[in-house]
Amino acid sequence: MSDPLIIPAPDGAPDRQQPPVSSASEPFWEATRTCSLVIQWCRSCERAIHFPREACPSCLGTDLEFRPAAGTGTVYACSEMPAPGNPGMKGRAPYVVVLVDLPEGVRMLSSVVRSDGAEGAAEVAVGDSVRVAWEPLADGRHLPVFVRG
Amino acid sequence: MVDRTMRGAAAIVGVADAVSPTGELEGSVRALEVQVIREALADAGLTIADVDGLFSCTGPGWAASLELAEYLGIAPRWTDSTQTGGSSFEIHVQHAAAAISLGLCDVAVVVYAATPRSSFKRGTGGFGSRQALPGPTPSAEWEQPYAMRMPMGAYALAASRHMHEFGTTAEQLAQIAVDTRTWATMNPRARLQDPITIEDVLASPMQASPLHKLDCCLVTDGAGAVVLTSAERARTLRKPPALVLGTGTCHTHAMISEMPDLTTTGAAVSGPLAFAEAGLTPADIDVAQIYDSFTITVLLLLEDLGFCPKGEGGAFVADGVLAPGGALPSNTSGGGLAYTHPGMFGIFLLVEAVRQLRGECGPRQVEGAEVALAHGSGGVLSAMSTIILGTEATA
């Protein structure tokens, strides 16, 4: 496996709104400390679940586990934000918000970001292939984002 | 005389509870809700797949029954977050019996869990805490860190998907704004009354690509009300009645990231339900009020309600079908795009539909309107409800 791609926030950018951790999602966020993307699975249905829950949304079973994800995806929908959606993103617009379909069979809201450090929004279209990258968070976790390719 | 039509029409067929002599239970509120739902369904010999009605009055966010349904992974066609304190659950059973007797849902689950004792000990709430479900909302955890502009970003995602799948264009979306504005030019109470062109829409600032400012609804003050009574009694009152001929509801998600298919809304369920109850088809609608939070909202709803096939909304609206003189006069008040939009527009859809059926709309009156459709959309294309109204002639 190749080294994880870490993409820091721009210099001087205020902190993003930090994602809280729910009881069901703790393994997901813990794994992000080592830049590992894990997805919850129902062992009864053999079905991936996102967002993580305390019961499977197919069978209501509780035999659940987290497994490593491939870290790849396909853009299902995308929109460029010309202005920030909250004060934590001041100075970062324009940026792109996407829905990404993962090969495990789940969909995530995320961002596609530039990997070259240049200014401006990433260029991305519905149907593009993407792979996961990581933005460090203040508490040692990482936020999963995506880059093209 | 007592109305007894509900008598014997519904029954409680499964029960479960969770209690402990210690007064405390292990697990989160959500885990407890799932537990008792699973046990009660098993008690009845049913599964979660049988459930199409959901009743819940507590949760962490703005819409108790939506968030619970999303958590359970179900898409109910009957939903009730009615909150009346301790009597809520008796009322839920009453509503469920009424709905079932009318065939509006088949299997209803009424559920409640709370952990005030252990939450108080953990310092995460307690008796009197407003937060019935300790912990973060899914949106705070899975969407808000990405700072999508809301609500337009969610609708922009849907528009991007529709364009990708069906070749829908920004010009076609703009046509909806243009036609709605044409109606507003005939409404002296509309916020925006100057006509606009497709070029005006495309030249207005981008809010969340591909949606421009003129693809988005207003932000205004506003208020509205409607009063309903029995059809029998309505005939003794001052104005001609707008009879409720058909109704339908469906919600599919709370967060946009949980919407199963961004090109198909719950209106694909609510619309056919309403039409079937009314014994009508889209071709029978004389005037439509279709929630226009954004132009893409109208496009999706026209398809889902059956006015045109899925994917053909762009071509359908391109020739001015929604405008004055068009085959489907729509949002005749000027809509949320030009008339008013104080955060929630649904009441105004009903008010305009009734005024059209009464012939009270002056220069924007649709001649001979006998059947009107009002379709509301809540959340981010989340909760859909279709109402079909008719004059006395349609009874």
Side-chain angles (χ1 to χ4, degrees):
Chain A
M1 218 164 117
S2 56
D3 287 341
L5 178 60
I6 297 177
I7 299 182
D11 284 343
D15 282 347
R16 269 184 200 266
Q17 187 170 322
Q18 302 289 298
V21 180
S22 63
S23 52
S25 65
E26 207 169 331
F28 179 95
W29 291 113
E30 277 306 303
T32 72
R33 293 183 184 279
T34 55
C35 296
S36 171
L37 183 67
V38 298
I39 294 292
Q40 189 181 42
W41 285 76
C42 174
R43 287 155 59 104
S44 305
C45 298
E46 273 303 306
R47 201 192 111 154
I49 300 164
H50 189 77
F51 56 95
R53 290 157 164 88
E54 303 200 37
C56 167
S58 290
C59 71
L60 293 192
T62 54
D63 189 8
L64 308 172
E65 67 178 3
F66 284 83
R67 301 177 190 168
T72 57
T74 305
V75 175
Y76 174 77
C78 67
S79 178
E80 182 177 313
M81 305 293 127
N86 65 45
M89 297 299 278
K90 198 161 176 255
R92 294 210 202 186
Y95 55 90
V96 178
V97 173
V98 293
L99 290 171
V100 178
D101 284 340
L102 305 188
E104 289 77 13
V106 296
R107 182 174 298 158
M108 294 179 67
L109 191 96
S110 188
S111 244
V112 170
V113 301
R114 299 182 72 113
S115 53
D116 59 7
E119 294 204 352
E123 286 185 17
V124 61
V126 176
D128 283 355
S129 294
V130 292
R131 60 192 169 91
V132 72
W134 300 94
E135 180 178 315
L137 296 173
D139 61 2
R141 291 183 292 156
H142 293 79
L143 184 73
V145 294
F146 288 83
V147 295
R148 283 183 62 194
Chain B
M1 196 178 110
V2 177
D3 184 343
R4 306 186 72 180
T5 53
M6 275 175 56
R7 183 172 179 274
I12 295 173
V13 294
V15 296
D17 62 4
V19 298
S20 164
T22 66
E24 295 180 36
L25 293 168
E26 293 288 327
S28 69
V29 168
R30 277 286 187 248
L32 292 168
E33 287 173 330
V34 170
Q35 177 188 330
V36 293
I37 289 170
R38 190 170 52 223
E39 290 174 358
L41 287 168
D43 186 46
L46 296 169
T47 74
I48 191 69
D50 297 301
V51 176
D52 62 358
L54 187 66
F55 296 70
S56 168
C57 65
T58 53
W62 59 275
S65 60
L66 259 72
E67 287 155 356
L68 180 59
E70 177 179 85
Y71 199 92
L72 296 170
I74 61 176
R77 62 189 178 105
W78 184 274
T79 187
D80 194 327
S81 297
T82 304
Q83 168 59 277
T84 66
S87 65
S88 297
F89 314 102
E90 291 78 15
I91 289 177
H92 289 175
V93 169
Q94 177 199 33
H95 289 185
I100 289 165
S101 75
L102 293 167
L104 295 175
C105 70
D106 189 26
V107 175
V109 166
V110 178
V111 64
Y112 174 66
T115 57
R117 189 179 181 96
S118 50
S119 296
F120 180 76
K121 284 191 174 178
R122 288 194 300 263
T124 56
F127 216 68
S129 166
R130 292 184 57 129
Q131 193 175 10
L133 184 68
T137 63
S139 175
E141 192 170 2
W142 304 106
E143 289 194 347
Q144 290 169 26
Y146 297 99
M148 185 163 62
R149 302 184 82 194
M150 285 294 280
M152 59 279 236
Y155 291 84
L157 289 174
S160 81
R161 188 68 201 177
H162 204 279
M163 289 175 163
H164 175 79
E165 283 196 27
F166 303 115
T168 306
T169 66
E171 288 79 4
Q172 290 170 334
L173 289 177
Q175 185 70 49
I176 295 171
V178 169
D179 292 345
T180 308
R181 185 68 69 87
T182 306
W183 284 109
T185 67
M186 295 184 280
N187 186 350
R189 297 168 64 239
R191 169 84 177 101
L192 300 174
Q193 298 182 32
D194 294 331
I196 55 173
T197 64
I198 287 175
E199 292 70 32
D200 290 334
V201 178
L202 299 183
S204 66
M206 194 69 86
Q207 296 298 299
S209 69
L211 297 180
H212 301 81
K213 184 173 184 183
L214 292 178
D215 287 302
C216 304
C217 63
L218 301 165
V219 178
T220 66
D221 294 347
V226 296
V227 176
L228 294 98
T229 189
S230 67
E232 183 183 9
R233 186 163 183 198
R235 294 183 181 109
T236 70
L237 302 180
R238 186 169 153 257
K239 291 281 185 82
L243 300 168
V244 180
L245 302 179
T247 68
T249 292
C250 179
H251 61 75
T252 49
H253 59 283
M255 298 187 290
I256 196 68
S257 52
E258 292 281 311
M259 185 169 178
D261 173 351
L262 264 70
T263 66
T264 301
T265 74
V269 174
S270 73
L273 286 171
F275 279 114
E277 184 187 350
L280 297 171
T281 71
D284 297 313
I285 299 299
D286 298 316
V287 59
Q289 313 297 335
I290 299 174
Y291 205 100
D292 58 339
S293 47
F294 299 89
T295 50
I296 183 63
T297 318
V298 177
L299 190 92
L300 292 171
L301 295 176
L302 287 167
E303 294 174 350
D304 291 338
L305 293 170
F307 289 106
C308 63
K310 179 52 64 184
E312 297 181 16
F316 180 72
V317 300
D319 65 351
V321 68
L322 308 180
L328 183 65
S330 294
N331 294 335
T332 51
S333 67
L337 294 169
Y339 176 48
T340 189
H341 199 297
M344 291 191 279
F345 188 66
I347 190 71
F348 304 98
L349 301 167
L350 294 162
V351 169
E352 179 73 4
V354 170
R355 287 177 176 154
Q356 285 286 350
L357 293 178
R358 292 175 180 167
E360 294 178 340
C361 288
R364 67 178 193 280
Q365 179 65 43
V366 174
E367 286 307 315
E370 301 282 356
V371 180
L373 176 144
H375 179 91
S377 168
V380 284
L381 298 168
S382 308
M384 296 292 165
S385 189
T386 312
I387 305 293
I388 298 171
L389 301 171
T391 64
E392 193 76 82
T394 68

Coordinates of all heavy atoms in Angstrom, one line a residue, chain A residues 32-97:
Chain A
T32 N -8.6 7.1 11.4 CA -8.2 8.3 10.6 C -6.9 8.9 11.3 O -6.2 9.6 10.6 CB -9.2 9.4 10.5 OG1 -9.3 10.1 11.8 CG2 -10.5 8.9 10.1
R33 N -6.6 8.5 12.5 CA -5.3 9.0 13.1 C -4.1 8.4 12.4 O -3.1 9.1 12.3 CB -5.3 8.6 14.6 CG -6.4 9.3 15.4 CD -6.3 8.9 16.9 NE -7.4 9.6 17.6 CZ -7.4 10.8 18.0 NH1 -6.3 11.6 17.8 NH2 -8.4 11.3 18.7
T34 N -4.3 7.3 11.8 CA -3.2 6.7 11.0 C -3.5 6.8 9.5 O -3.0 6.0 8.7 CB -2.9 5.2 11.4 OG1 -4.1 4.5 11.3 CG2 -2.4 5.2 12.8
C35 N -4.5 7.7 9.1 CA -4.8 7.9 7.7 C -5.3 6.6 7.1 O -5.0 6.2 6.0 CB -3.7 8.5 6.9 SG -3.3 10.1 7.4
S36 N -6.2 5.9 7.8 CA -6.8 4.6 7.3 C -8.3 4.8 7.2 O -8.9 5.3 8.1 CB -6.4 3.5 8.3 OG -7.2 2.3 7.9
L37 N -8.8 4.5 6.0 CA -10.2 4.6 5.8 C -10.9 3.3 6.0 O -10.6 2.3 5.4 CB -10.5 5.0 4.3 CG -12.0 5.3 4.0 CD1 -12.5 6.5 4.8 CD2 -12.2 5.5 2.5
V38 N -11.7 3.2 7.0 CA -12.4 2.0 7.3 C -13.9 2.2 7.2 O -14.4 3.3 7.4 CB -12.1 1.5 8.8 CG1 -10.6 1.1 8.9 CG2 -12.5 2.5 9.8
I39 N -14.6 1.2 6.8 CA -16.1 1.3 6.6 C -16.8 0.2 7.5 O -16.2 -0.9 7.6 CB -16.4 1.0 5.1 CG1 -15.9 2.2 4.3 CG2 -17.9 0.9 4.9 CD1 -16.5 3.5 4.5
Q40 N -17.9 0.5 8.0 CA -18.7 -0.4 8.8 C -19.4 -1.4 7.9 O -19.9 -1.1 6.9 CB -19.7 0.3 9.7 CG -20.4 -0.5 10.7 CD -21.4 0.3 11.5 OE1 -22.1 1.1 10.9 NE2 -21.4 0.1 12.8
W41 N -19.4 -2.7 8.4 CA -20.1 -3.8 7.6 C -21.0 -4.5 8.6 O -20.7 -4.7 9.8 CB -19.1 -4.8 7.1 CG -18.3 -4.3 5.9 CD1 -17.3 -3.4 5.9 CD2 -18.5 -4.7 4.5 NE1 -16.9 -3.2 4.6 CE2 -17.6 -4.0 3.7 CE3 -19.4 -5.6 3.9 CZ2 -17.6 -4.1 2.3 CZ3 -19.4 -5.7 2.5 CH2 -18.5 -5.0 1.7
C42 N -22.1 -5.0 8.0 CA -23.0 -5.9 8.8 C -22.5 -7.4 8.4 O -22.5 -7.7 7.2 CB -24.4 -5.7 8.4 SG -25.5 -7.0 9.1
R43 N -22.1 -8.1 9.4 CA -21.6 -9.5 9.1 C -22.8 -10.4 8.7 O -22.5 -11.4 8.0 CB -20.9 -10.0 10.3 CG -19.5 -9.4 10.5 CD -19.1 -9.4 12.0 NE -19.0 -10.8 12.5 CZ -17.8 -11.5 12.6 NH1 -16.7 -10.9 12.3 NH2 -17.8 -12.7 13.1
S44 N -24.0 -10.1 9.1 CA -25.1 -10.9 8.7 C -25.5 -10.7 7.2 O -25.7 -11.7 6.5 CB -26.3 -10.6 9.6 OG -26.0 -10.8 10.9
C45 N -25.6 -9.4 6.8 CA -26.0 -9.1 5.5 C -24.8 -9.1 4.5 O -25.0 -9.1 3.3 CB -26.6 -7.7 5.4 SG -28.1 -7.5 6.4
E46 N -23.6 -9.0 5.0 CA -22.4 -8.8 4.2 C -22.6 -7.5 3.4 O -22.4 -7.5 2.1 CB -22.1 -10.0 3.3 CG -21.2 -11.0 4.1 CD -19.9 -10.4 4.5 OE1 -19.2 -9.8 3.7 OE2 -19.6 -10.5 5.8
R47 N -23.0 -6.5 4.0 CA -23.3 -5.2 3.4 C -22.6 -4.1 4.1 O -22.6 -4.1 5.3 CB -24.8 -5.0 3.4 CG -25.4 -4.0 2.4 CD -26.8 -3.7 2.7 NE -26.8 -2.3 3.1 CZ -27.9 -1.5 3.0 NH1 -29.0 -1.9 2.6 NH2 -27.8 -0.2 3.4
A48 N -22.0 -3.2 3.4 CA -21.3 -2.0 3.9 C -22.4 -1.0 4.4 O -23.5 -0.9 3.8 CB -20.4 -1.4 3.0
I49 N -22.0 -0.3 5.4 CA -23.0 0.7 6.0 C -22.2 2.0 6.2 O -21.1 2.1 6.7 CB -23.4 0.3 7.4 CG1 -24.1 -1.1 7.4 CG2 -24.3 1.3 8.1 CD1 -24.3 -1.8 8.7
H50 N -22.8 3.1 5.7 CA -22.3 4.4 6.0 C -23.5 5.4 6.0 O -24.3 5.3 5.1 CB -21.2 4.9 4.9 CG -20.5 6.1 5.4 ND1 -19.5 6.1 6.3 CD2 -20.7 7.4 5.0 CE1 -19.1 7.4 6.5 NE2 -19.8 8.2 5.7
F51 N -23.6 6.3 7.0 CA -22.8 6.5 8.1 C -22.8 5.4 9.1 O -23.8 4.6 9.2 CB -23.2 7.8 8.8 CG -24.6 7.9 9.2 CD1 -25.0 7.6 10.5 CD2 -25.6 8.3 8.3 CE1 -26.3 7.7 10.9 CE2 -26.9 8.4 8.7 CZ -27.3 8.1 10.0
P52 N -21.8 5.2 10.0 CA -21.9 4.1 10.9 C -23.1 4.2 11.9 O -23.4 5.3 12.3 CB -20.5 4.2 11.7 CG -19.7 5.0 10.8 CD -20.6 6.0 10.1
R53 N -23.7 3.1 12.2 CA -24.8 3.0 13.0 C -24.6 1.9 14.1 O -23.7 1.2 14.1 CB -26.1 2.7 12.2 CG -26.5 3.8 11.2 CD -27.3 3.1 10.1 NE -28.2 4.1 9.3 CZ -27.7 4.7 8.3 NH1 -26.5 4.6 7.9 NH2 -28.6 5.5 7.6
E54 N -25.6 1.9 15.0 CA -25.5 0.9 16.1 C -26.3 -0.3 15.7 O -26.4 -1.3 16.4 CB -26.0 1.5 17.4 CG -25.2 2.7 17.8 CD -25.2 3.1 19.2 OE1 -25.3 2.2 20.1 OE2 -25.2 4.3 19.5
A55 N -27.0 -0.3 14.5 CA -27.7 -1.4 14.0 C -27.7 -1.3 12.5 O -27.6 -0.2 11.9 CB -29.1 -1.5 14.5
C56 N -27.7 -2.4 11.8 CA -27.7 -2.5 10.3 C -29.0 -1.9 9.8 O -30.1 -2.4 10.2 CB -27.5 -3.9 9.8 SG -27.8 -4.1 8.1
P57 N -29.0 -1.0 8.8 CA -30.2 -0.5 8.3 C -30.9 -1.4 7.3 O -31.9 -1.0 6.7 CB -29.8 0.9 7.6 CG -28.3 0.7 7.3 CD -27.8 -0.3 8.4
S58 N -30.4 -2.6 7.1 CA -31.1 -3.6 6.3 C -31.8 -4.6 7.2 O -32.9 -4.9 6.9 CB -30.1 -4.4 5.4 OG -29.6 -3.5 4.4
C59 N -31.1 -5.1 8.2 CA -31.7 -6.2 9.0 C -31.9 -5.8 10.5 O -32.4 -6.6 11.3 CB -30.8 -7.4 8.9 SG -29.3 -7.3 9.8
L60 N -31.4 -4.6 10.9 CA -31.4 -4.2 12.3 C -30.5 -5.1 13.2 O -30.6 -5.0 14.4 CB -32.9 -4.2 12.9 CG -33.8 -3.2 12.3 CD1 -35.1 -3.1 13.2 CD2 -33.2 -1.8 12.2
G61 N -29.7 -5.9 12.6 CA -28.8 -6.7 13.3 C -27.6 -5.9 13.9 O -27.4 -4.7 13.5
T62 N -27.0 -6.4 15.0 CA -25.9 -5.6 15.6 C -24.6 -6.3 15.5 O -23.6 -6.0 16.2 CB -26.3 -5.4 17.1 OG1 -26.6 -6.7 17.7 CG2 -27.5 -4.6 17.3
D63 N -24.5 -7.3 14.7 CA -23.2 -8.0 14.4 C -22.4 -7.2 13.4 O -22.4 -7.6 12.2 CB -23.4 -9.4 14.0 CG -22.1 -10.3 14.0 OD1 -21.1 -9.7 14.4 OD2 -22.2 -11.4 13.5
L64 N -21.8 -6.1 13.8 CA -21.2 -5.2 12.9 C -19.7 -5.1 13.2 O -19.2 -5.4 14.3 CB -21.7 -3.8 13.2 CG -23.3 -3.7 13.2 CD1 -23.7 -2.3 13.6 CD2 -23.8 -4.0 11.8
E65 N -18.9 -4.8 12.1 CA -17.5 -4.6 12.3 C -17.0 -3.6 11.2 O -17.6 -3.3 10.2 CB -16.7 -5.9 12.1 CG -16.8 -6.5 10.7 CD -16.0 -7.8 10.5 OE1 -15.5 -8.3 11.5 OE2 -16.0 -8.3 9.4
F66 N -15.8 -3.1 11.5 CA -15.2 -2.1 10.6 C -14.1 -2.9 9.8 O -13.3 -3.6 10.4 CB -14.6 -0.9 11.3 CG -15.6 0.0 11.8 CD1 -16.3 -0.2 13.0 CD2 -15.9 1.2 11.0 CE1 -17.3 0.7 13.4 CE2 -16.9 2.1 11.4 CZ -17.6 1.8 12.6
R67 N -14.1 -2.6 8.5 CA -13.0 -3.2 7.6 C -12.4 -2.1 6.8 O -13.0 -1.1 6.4 CB -13.7 -4.2 6.7 CG -14.4 -5.4 7.3 CD -15.1 -6.3 6.3 NE -16.0 -7.2 7.0 CZ -16.9 -7.9 6.3 NH1 -17.0 -7.9 5.0 NH2 -17.7 -8.8 7.0
P68 N -11.1 -2.4 6.4 CA -10.4 -1.4 5.6 C -11.2 -1.2 4.2 O -11.7 -2.2 3.7 CB -9.1 -2.0 5.3 CG -8.9 -3.0 6.4 CD -10.2 -3.5 6.8
A69 N -11.2 0.0 3.8 CA -11.8 0.3 2.5 C -10.7 0.5 1.4 O -9.5 0.7 1.8 CB -12.6 1.6 2.5
A70 N -11.1 0.3 0.2 CA -10.1 0.4 -0.9 C -9.5 1.8 -1.0 O -8.3 1.9 -1.4 CB -10.7 0.0 -2.2
G71 N -10.2 2.8 -0.6 CA -9.7 4.1 -0.7 C -9.9 4.8 -2.0 O -9.4 5.9 -2.3
T72 N -10.7 4.1 -2.9 CA -11.0 4.7 -4.2 C -12.5 5.0 -4.2 O -13.3 4.6 -3.4 CB -10.7 3.8 -5.3 OG1 -11.4 2.5 -5.1 CG2 -9.2 3.5 -5.3
G73 N -12.9 5.8 -5.3 CA -14.3 6.1 -5.4 C -14.6 6.7 -6.8 O -13.7 7.0 -7.6
T74 N -15.9 6.9 -7.0 CA -16.4 7.6 -8.2 C -17.3 8.7 -7.8 O -18.2 8.6 -7.0 CB -17.2 6.6 -9.1 OG1 -16.3 5.5 -9.4 CG2 -17.6 7.2 -10.4
V75 N -17.1 9.9 -8.5 CA -17.9 11.1 -8.1 C -19.3 10.8 -8.6 O -19.6 10.6 -9.8 CB -17.3 12.3 -8.7 CG1 -18.3 13.5 -8.5 CG2 -15.9 12.6 -8.1
Y76 N -20.3 10.9 -7.7 CA -21.7 10.7 -8.0 C -22.4 12.0 -8.3 O -23.3 12.1 -9.2 CB -22.4 9.9 -6.9 CG -23.9 9.8 -7.1 CD1 -24.5 8.9 -7.9 CD2 -24.8 10.7 -6.4 CE1 -25.8 8.8 -8.1 CE2 -26.2 10.5 -6.5 CZ -26.7 9.6 -7.4 OH -28.0 9.5 -7.5
A77 N -22.0 13.0 -7.6 CA -22.6 14.4 -7.8 C -21.5 15.4 -7.3 O -20.8 15.0 -6.4 CB -23.9 14.5 -7.1
C78 N -21.6 16.6 -7.8 CA -20.6 17.6 -7.3 C -21.1 19.0 -7.5 O -21.9 19.3 -8.4 CB -19.2 17.4 -8.1 SG -19.3 17.8 -9.8
S79 N -20.6 19.9 -6.6 CA -21.0 21.3 -6.7 C -19.8 22.1 -6.2 O -19.2 21.8 -5.2 CB -22.2 21.5 -5.9 OG -22.6 22.9 -5.9
E80 N -19.5 23.2 -6.9 CA -18.5 24.1 -6.5 C -19.1 25.2 -5.7 O -20.0 25.8 -6.1 CB -17.7 24.7 -7.7 CG -16.6 25.6 -7.3 CD -15.8 26.1 -8.5 OE1 -15.5 25.3 -9.4 OE2 -15.6 27.3 -8.6
M81 N -18.5 25.4 -4.5 CA -18.9 26.5 -3.6 C -18.1 27.7 -3.9 O -16.9 27.8 -3.6 CB -18.8 26.1 -2.1 CG -19.4 24.8 -1.7 SD -21.2 24.8 -1.7 CE -21.5 23.4 -2.7
P82 N -18.7 28.8 -4.4 CA -18.0 30.0 -4.7 C -17.7 30.8 -3.4 O -16.9 31.7 -3.4 CB -18.9 30.8 -5.6 CG -20.2 30.3 -5.3 CD -20.1 28.9 -4.9
A83 N -18.4 30.5 -2.3 CA -18.3 31.2 -1.0 C -18.3 30.2 0.1 O -18.9 29.1 -0.1 CB -19.4 32.2 -0.9
P84 N -17.7 30.4 1.2 CA -17.7 29.4 2.3 C -19.1 29.1 2.8 O -19.9 30.0 2.9 CB -16.8 30.0 3.3 CG -16.7 31.5 3.0 CD -17.0 31.7 1.6
G85 N -19.2 27.8 3.2 CA -20.5 27.4 3.8 C -20.6 27.6 5.3 O -21.7 27.6 5.9
N86 N -19.4 27.9 5.9 CA -19.4 28.3 7.3 C -18.1 29.0 7.6 O -17.2 29.0 6.8 CB -19.7 27.1 8.3 CG -18.6 26.1 8.2 OD1 -17.4 26.4 8.2 ND2 -18.9 24.8 8.1
P87 N -18.0 29.7 8.7 CA -16.9 30.6 9.0 C -15.5 29.8 9.0 O -14.5 30.4 8.7 CB -17.2 31.2 10.3 CG -18.6 31.1 10.5 CD -19.0 29.9 9.8
G88 N -15.6 28.5 9.3 CA -14.4 27.7 9.4 C -13.7 27.6 8.0 O -12.6 27.2 7.9
M89 N -14.4 27.9 7.0 CA -13.9 27.8 5.6 C -13.5 29.1 5.0 O -13.3 29.2 3.8 CB -14.9 27.1 4.7 CG -15.2 25.7 5.2 SD -13.7 24.6 5.2 CE -13.7 24.1 3.5
K90 N -13.4 30.1 5.8 CA -13.1 31.5 5.3 C -11.7 31.4 4.7 O -10.8 30.8 5.2 CB -13.0 32.4 6.5 CG -13.0 33.9 6.1 CD -13.4 34.8 7.3 CE -13.4 36.2 6.9 NZ -12.3 36.9 7.5
G91 N -11.6 32.0 3.5 CA -10.3 32.0 2.8 C -10.1 30.7 1.9 O -9.1 30.7 1.2
R92 N -11.0 29.7 2.0 CA -10.7 28.5 1.3 C -11.6 28.4 0.0 O -11.3 27.6 -0.9 CB -11.1 27.3 2.1 CG -10.2 27.1 3.3 CD -10.1 25.6 3.6 NE -9.7 25.3 5.0 CZ -9.5 24.1 5.4 NH1 -9.6 23.1 4.6 NH2 -9.1 23.9 6.6
A93 N -12.6 29.2 -0.1 CA -13.4 29.2 -1.3 C -12.7 29.7 -2.5 O -11.8 30.6 -2.3 CB -14.7 30.0 -1.1
P94 N -12.9 29.3 -3.7 CA -13.9 28.2 -4.0 C -13.4 26.8 -3.7 O -12.2 26.6 -3.8 CB -14.1 28.4 -5.5 CG -12.8 29.0 -6.0 CD -12.3 29.8 -4.9
Y95 N -14.3 26.0 -3.4 CA -13.9 24.6 -3.2 C -15.1 23.7 -3.6 O -16.2 24.2 -3.9 CB -13.6 24.3 -1.7 CG -14.6 24.7 -0.7 CD1 -15.6 23.8 -0.3 CD2 -14.6 26.0 -0.2 CE1 -16.6 24.2 0.6 CE2 -15.6 26.4 0.8 CZ -16.6 25.5 1.1 OH -17.5 25.9 2.0
V96 N -14.8 22.4 -3.8 CA -15.8 21.5 -4.4 C -16.3 20.5 -3.3 O -15.5 19.9 -2.6 CB -15.2 20.7 -5.5 CG1 -16.2 19.7 -6.1 CG2 -14.7 21.7 -6.6
V97 N -17.6 20.4 -3.2 CA -18.3 19.4 -2.4 C -18.8 18.3 -3.3 O -19.4 18.6 -4.3 CB -19.4 20.0 -1.5 CG1 -20.2 18.9 -0.8 CG2 -18.8 21.0 -0.5

